[in-house]
Amino acid sequence: MALLKILNYPDKRLHKVAKPVAVVDDRIRKLVADMAETMYAAPAVGLAATQVDVHERVIVIDVSDAHDELLVFINPEIVWSSDAKKKWEEGCLSVPGIYDYVERPDKVRVKALNEKETFELDCDGLLAVCIQHEMDHLLGKVFIEYLSTLKQTRIRGKMKKLEKAL
Ligand code: K1U
Ligand code: ZN
C-alpha cells in the first residue's frame, strides 16, 4: 500500500470531472487500498479519487468511532434525497485549516459498487454529509464553493500564502 499526495485548493485539477470506472480490476483495488491508507493516515472520514489526482469515480469513507468500518463507493449515484435539509460544519483535506457550515439534504440513498457487488445504502448524519461532500469532489466541486464570494476570495488568498510558505 502507499500514501498518496493530496491536491490542495486552488489546484485546477480539483475541478476535473471524474469518469465512471469501467472495470473493477486490480488497478482499482490498489487505488482503493491506497486511498483508504491515505484517509486513515490523514486522519479523515472520507476521501475522493479526485483529491489524489485520479479522475475516476471512487470514494472511501469511514465514519465509525473505531475507524474499522471502511465503505467503498465506486460509480456512486444518489437515488433519493430527503426534502429536509441540515447544516453541518465541514472540513476538507484539500483546504487545510478551513471549516464552515454547508446546508445539504439531511438523508440520502446511494447506489454504488464496491470491490464485490452493487449495493444501496441509506445514509444520515455524518455519513450523509460526507458522501455528498465526496461526490461533489468527483464533479470537480470543493465545499467552499457553497460559501459567499467574499469567503471564497479570502480562503483562496490564505491557501496561496500557505502554498508559498511550503
Ligand atoms: O477532504 C475530504 O474530503 C475529507 C473530509 C470529509 C468531510 C468531513 C466533514 C464533513 C464533510 C466531509 C474530512 O474528513 S476532513 C477531517 C475530518 O473531518 C475528521 C478527521 C478526523 C476525525 C473526524 C473528522
Ligand atoms: Zn473534501
Side-chain angles (χ1 to χ4, degrees):
M1 286 203 290
L3 283 181
L4 305 171
K5 191 178 174 311
I6 294 170
L7 299 177
N8 273 343
Y9 184 84
D11 193 307
K12 286 192 176 69
R13 291 170 289 182
L14 284 170
H15 302 301
K16 284 192 180 182
V17 178
K19 295 200 164 71
V21 170
V23 199
V24 182
D25 54 11
D26 284 350
R27 182 182 66 88
I28 294 295
R29 281 187 278 273
K30 177 166 173 17
L31 172 65
V32 166
D34 290 347
M35 284 175 61
E37 189 182 9
T38 305
M39 174 186 74
Y40 286 123
V45 291
L47 190 67
T50 307
Q51 292 176 276
V52 294
D53 202 19
V54 176
H55 302 282
E56 289 174 85
R57 293 182 62 80
V58 179
I59 287 169
V60 293
I61 291 180
D62 189 342
V63 294
S64 69
D65 290 338
H67 311 296
D68 61 355
E69 292 173 30
L70 179 67
L71 297 170
V72 176
F73 299 87
I74 298 168
N75 297 341
E77 288 168 57
I78 293 183
V79 293
W80 174 83
S81 305
S82 64
D83 291 335
K85 307 246 192 299
K86 197 163 184 180
K87 268 192 176 182
W88 278 75
E89 192 176 35
E90 299 191 15
C92 182
L93 296 176
S94 297
V95 199
I98 304 295
Y99 298 87
D100 215 322
Y101 287 85
V102 175
E103 188 175 74
R104 298 184 187 270
D106 190 23
K107 294 179 183 169
V108 291
R109 184 173 305 129
V110 179
K111 183 178 176 188
L113 291 170
N114 59 25
E115 297 102 316
K116 288 184 203 140
E117 60 196 352
T118 303
F119 65 96
E120 283 199 18
L121 187 66
D122 287 317
C123 306
D124 61 8
L126 178 58
L127 178 57
V129 177
C130 196
I131 187 70
Q132 292 178 80
H133 174 115
E134 304 307 338
M135 285 182 71
D136 275 348
H137 275 305
L138 299 182
L139 295 174
K141 185 163 182 171
V142 180
F143 86 104
I144 64 161
E145 290 169 47
Y146 288 101
L147 309 180
S148 67
T149 312
L150 178 64
K151 277 189 178 176
Q152 289 185 49
T153 307
R154 283 186 181 155
I155 292 166
R156 209 172 300 123
K158 219 171 170 177
M159 292 300 128
K160 281 190 172 161
K161 255 190 198 168
L162 200 73
E163 196 180 15
K164 270 190 195 158
L166 294 175

